[in-house]
Amino acid sequence: MQVHFLTQDQDYPGEHSEVLEVLLQLRSQYTLETLAAQVKKQQAQGYQLVYVQADSGILAVAGFVVTEKLAWGKCIYIDDLVTNSACRSQGVGHFLISWFKNYAKAHQCTQIHLDSGVQRFPAHRFYLREGFNIASHHFSMLDV
């Protein structure tokens, strides 16, 4: 398994449609084309997309930003993280979280943060096993 960056200058969806197809498993409100456009737009604002690849294909995808906050200092915020449904419970998520820990250290980040939908109980169990804490409630206001 190897982690690769999906760079901003690559043709979307093009040869990387496999990466976006896995991301669509998490963000199903998009089509392949609208997801490609949104990823490109966010990349222009600092969003980075990585994927885990093996001989068998794309195993996982994660989108994140390196940011700095008054509350957290310099940190990684993971916006999107999904393991291909065909590869779950095989250590791929653990591999990717380990990569994030190393990436954080290499970029002088002291914390990693993410949000997870309240209904995603298997994901919550995974994050807790990986050492994440439930540190806050996330509030949102829609349609403002």
Side-chain angles (χ1 to χ4, degrees):
M1 289 188 285
Q2 280 192 304
V3 175
H4 303 276
F5 282 85
L6 191 69
T7 61
Q8 196 172 359
D9 60 339
Q10 289 171 313
D11 183 29
Y12 294 159
E15 63 185 76
H16 291 287
S17 62
E18 246 190 295
V19 172
L20 297 177
E21 291 284 352
V22 173
L23 187 54
L24 280 171
Q25 293 176 22
L26 178 66
R27 302 294 180 207
S28 58
Q29 69 270 32
Y30 292 93
T31 65
L32 187 62
E33 291 74 24
T34 60
L35 181 61
Q38 186 62 35
V39 165
K40 197 167 227 176
K41 180 179 176 182
Q42 287 181 218
Q43 282 179 319
Q45 301 169 8
Y47 178 81
Q48 300 180 71
L49 196 63
V50 294
Y51 57 97
V52 179
Q53 187 170 25
D55 292 339
S56 58
I58 305 303
L59 308 181
V61 177
F64 70 100
V65 293
V66 174
T67 187
E68 205 155 338
K69 303 284 185 185
L70 288 173
W72 305 332
K74 189 174 182 183
C75 65
I76 289 176
Y77 186 86
I78 301 172
D79 291 287
D80 311 289
L81 193 155
V82 59
T83 299
N84 190 329
S85 60
C87 305
R88 293 194 181 133
S89 298
Q90 297 178 19
V92 177
H94 174 76
F95 175 81
L96 190 52
I97 294 298
S98 294
W99 180 87
F100 270 115
K101 289 177 184 177
N102 290 327
Y103 190 87
K105 287 176 188 169
H107 290 83
Q108 296 77 46
C109 297
T110 58
Q111 299 183 25
I112 300 172
H113 289 264
L114 57 80
D115 285 322
S116 180
V118 295
Q119 77 286 1
R120 300 188 67 228
F121 299 114
H124 302 164
R125 285 191 296 275
F126 167 74
Y127 295 132
L128 290 169
R129 268 195 323 268
E130 290 299 316
F132 284 85
N133 299 307
I134 301 172
S136 67
H137 292 280
H138 177 92
F139 294 89
S140 61
M141 184 179 293
L142 306 178
D143 300 322
V144 291

